[in-house]
Amino acid sequence: MIASLPVARLQDQFGDAVALHAPLAKFTSARIGGAADVLLTAGSAKQLAAMVTVLWETETSFLVMGGGSNMLVSDAGVRGVVILNKARKVKIDREAATVWAESGSNFGAVARQCGRSDLTGLEWAAGIPGTVGGAVVGNAGAHGGDVAGNLILAEVLHHQYGRQEWTPAQLEFEYRSSRLKYHPGQAVVLAASFKAAHGDAETIKQKMDEFLAFRKRTQPPGASMGSMFKNPPGDFAGRLIDVAGLKGLRVGQAQISELHGNFFLNHGDATAAEVFALISQARQTVKEKFEVQLELEIELAGEWKA
Ligand code: EPU
């Protein structure tokens, strides 16, 4: 398989940023998953764009991994190329009350940095575990806020049109989704800018601390993928799984949290197959009991049987 990949060209152009047969588990928040044939580590948005350009030119399939927080990587790993996005430059414009961040920046850290600069509006994002790029693609949200409500522009690299700036309207945001999620592989987020407003660092911090305390109270610590399913219209995935009596259900080292039904935990060396067995069980039981089809919020990466 690896023979069909443009390894020599990638090594020539990106040197040490190229790793072969690289285990992915340690780059995911669930600490689960096999190896990528080729792992490229992008240190800047410029390098990310250069890598993606080579992969498109050579018609090589790839996926971009940010914080690995919303993803379940299969035990067999990922055939082809994974780009680990470590493009993390952040620029705050206090006067304009805006922030620009490269797509590999941790979104929660960006929000907290804004707060320390007296910029209000991103408090909801303080505890978001993933990256700015992942947050844009999946229209991340919490505590009533979401990316669609704060985004000014996303700088994307499009496979056909090159570098573009997309407005929220062009991104076609929906609940936990966007045009980038519907059409994976067409465009990659390089950076994004967000609007905030002038506020007071102390008040902002208080609000963030409240949100963080809520998460701590209602969501389990430990290795997980965050919310497993999207909330179905008018209800909550966690509530449905709870009322179905599935909290605490265990397959091997994987378990549905006893604290929050929409969190699936890895207690040590859980496999992706074990987590997937819990996903199937939760879907089936919730369908039988409540006639609700739960949709995954997380992305399945790598090789999965249909
Ligand atoms: N609930 C139960 N039993 C449970 C879990 C929840 O009855 O086991 C009930 C709660 O009592 C509450 C409702 O379900 O009435 C919703 O639960 P919660 O307030 O914990 O929020 P959520 O809808 O499960 C969403 C986001 C989280 C975000 C929180 C806080 C989704 C799928 N999840 O969770 O996002 O942190 O709101 O704003 O939208 C993530 O996306 O990874 C994530 C953690």
Side-chain angles (χ1 to χ4, degrees):
M1 189 63 200
I2 205 160
S4 64
L5 300 171
V7 174
R9 178 162 171 199
L10 290 168
Q11 284 174 326
D12 197 40
Q13 203 164 333
F14 303 112
D16 287 350
V18 184
L20 305 182
H21 308 295
L24 295 174
K26 64 176 174 216
F27 302 118
T28 69
S29 62
R31 298 281 182 263
I32 291 173
D37 288 336
V38 177
L39 181 71
L40 303 177
T41 303
S44 66
K46 200 172 157 201
Q47 195 178 36
L48 174 63
M51 287 169 171
V52 169
T53 301
V54 171
L55 297 170
W56 277 334
E57 272 174 22
T58 54
E59 294 182 6
T60 308
S61 72
F62 68 93
L63 72 87
V64 181
M65 218 167 136
S69 55
N70 215 21
M71 188 179 263
L72 181 61
V73 176
S74 71
D75 296 313
V78 180
R79 303 290 69 78
V81 176
V82 172
I83 304 178
L84 188 63
N85 186 0
K86 290 197 173 175
R88 289 177 179 158
K89 211 179 283 163
V90 177
K91 283 186 218 158
I92 290 181
D93 185 335
R94 287 178 81 145
E95 213 177 311
T98 59
V99 57
W100 172 93
E102 287 186 331
S103 53
S105 316
N106 176 279
F107 194 38
V110 171
R112 293 191 296 275
Q113 209 175 319
C114 283
R116 288 195 296 275
S117 302
D118 297 308
L119 295 184
T120 180
L122 283 165
E123 288 84 344
W124 62 268
I128 294 267
T131 58
V132 164
V136 171
V137 173
N139 188 18
H143 311 291
D146 63 12
V147 165
N150 286 96
L151 188 89
I152 302 170
L153 282 172
E155 296 172 28
V156 304
L157 187 69
H158 189 275
H159 74 121
Q160 219 175 336
Y161 311 125
R163 240 169 218 272
Q164 300 208 308
E165 291 187 343
W166 284 2
T167 61
Q170 287 169 304
L171 282 155
E172 297 167 15
F173 282 127
E174 282 178 21
Y175 169 63
R176 300 292 179 270
S177 196
S178 73
R179 174 176 170 187
L180 294 157
K181 196 154 179 178
Y182 299 133
H183 304 287
Q186 285 199 352
V188 168
V189 182
L190 300 176
S193 51
F194 300 90
K195 57 174 179 262
H198 296 285
D200 156 60
E202 198 47 48
T203 318
I204 296 165
K205 187 175 177 303
Q206 268 175 21
K207 191 89 205 153
M208 287 184 175
D209 286 348
E210 261 173 51
F211 287 153
L212 292 171
F214 173 85
R215 285 178 96 93
K216 216 172 162 181
R217 210 167 52 239
T218 59
Q219 302 177 3
S224 84
M225 288 132 279
S227 296
M228 177 58 76
F229 298 105
K230 295 179 188 178
N231 283 331
D235 212 332
F236 301 98
R239 193 194 75 82
L240 292 168
I241 293 168
D242 183 353
V243 179
L246 294 166
K247 277 162 83 170
L249 184 70
R250 204 171 166 130
V251 175
Q253 290 284 301
Q255 187 183 31
I256 300 182
S257 163
E258 282 168 347
L259 185 62
H260 195 302
N262 207 17
F263 282 70
F264 291 37
L265 302 169
N266 171 9
H267 284 301
D269 44 14
T271 62
E274 287 168 354
V275 175
F276 197 79
L278 289 176
I279 291 173
S280 304
Q281 177 77 60
R283 272 183 149 160
Q284 195 187 325
T285 309
V286 167
K287 176 91 182 84
E288 279 166 15
K289 293 205 169 175
F290 309 110
E291 286 285 317
V292 175
Q293 191 71 55
L294 289 176
E295 264 182 57
L296 281 179
E297 173 171 320
I298 63 150
E299 265 175 69
L300 298 177
E303 298 179 294
W304 296 90
K305 288 186 197 85

